[in-house]
Amino acid sequence: MIDKDIIANLRLVHGSYNALMMMLFIYQGWLGLRIRRGRIAGNPPLEIIKRHRKTGPVFAIMGVLGFFAGVTLIYLDYGRILKYPPHFLTGLSIVFAIAAVFLISRKIKGLDSEWRTPHFRRGILLVCLYLVQVFLGIGILF
């Protein structure tokens, strides 16, 4: 087993990392909103589109890694992954939401793609799940 002090520090690292991930997904959503508004106005912001497309897959991988880091941490500490079921299930929901947003984004083609609204809605769901997850995580830490 790993020393309890190391586990305590890793819990803080995990929480900080995922709080940062939440902020990065909020930033990504903000970029998406700017793109959406520009596209509706008839002037899509090309630089923002490039940044949104470039960072999205990176953030997706980082978000999923945050979940697996938490699962690994709990398993090493308690020997089972369901020590905190609401936190685990919300994290798993985040992973599925990330996958859905990413897979839907791959289907967006052209200015009038029918996949834009589902991508937008799943993105909002993802940010909401992160807010719940951070709240649950803070409850675990204290």
Side-chain angles (χ1 to χ4, degrees):
M1 287 298 256
I2 296 179
D3 183 33
K4 291 290 183 183
D5 290 334
I6 294 173
I7 293 288
N9 289 333
L10 288 174
R11 288 175 117 176
L12 291 174
V13 169
H14 169 72
S16 300
Y17 175 84
N18 282 303
L20 173 64
M21 289 309 308
M22 179 188 70
M23 289 185 268
L24 290 173
F25 277 110
I26 290 171
Y27 168 73
Q28 186 74 348
W30 178 71
L31 291 178
L33 283 173
R34 289 183 60 192
I35 293 166
R36 188 178 186 88
R37 288 184 184 134
R39 186 179 42 78
I40 290 169
N43 186 21
L46 299 179
E47 268 310 304
I48 296 173
I49 292 170
K50 288 179 186 177
R51 190 176 328 142
H52 187 72
R53 287 179 180 171
K54 184 177 181 181
T55 57
V58 174
F59 293 166
I61 291 168
M62 291 171 62
V64 172
L65 288 176
F67 169 75
F68 285 112
V71 169
T72 302
L73 184 61
I74 289 300
Y75 185 76
L76 290 174
D77 194 17
Y78 296 103
R80 57 192 173 104
I81 61 173
L82 288 176
K83 173 69 176 166
Y84 304 104
H87 192 65
F88 173 80
L89 293 173
T90 306
L92 189 59
S93 298
I94 287 172
V95 169
F96 285 129
I98 289 171
V101 169
F102 177 77
L103 293 173
I104 290 170
S105 75
R106 301 282 132 216
K107 295 182 179 195
I108 296 174
K109 306 285 185 221
L111 291 175
D112 295 324
S113 176
E114 63 186 22
W115 292 101
R116 290 184 189 282
T117 300
H119 178 74
F120 171 71
R121 288 180 179 160
R122 298 319 184 282
I124 290 173
L125 173 65
L126 175 60
V127 170
C128 291
L129 287 169
Y130 260 111
L131 291 170
V132 170
Q133 186 72 330
V134 166
F135 176 75
L136 292 171
I138 289 171
I140 290 170
L141 286 175
F142 298 106

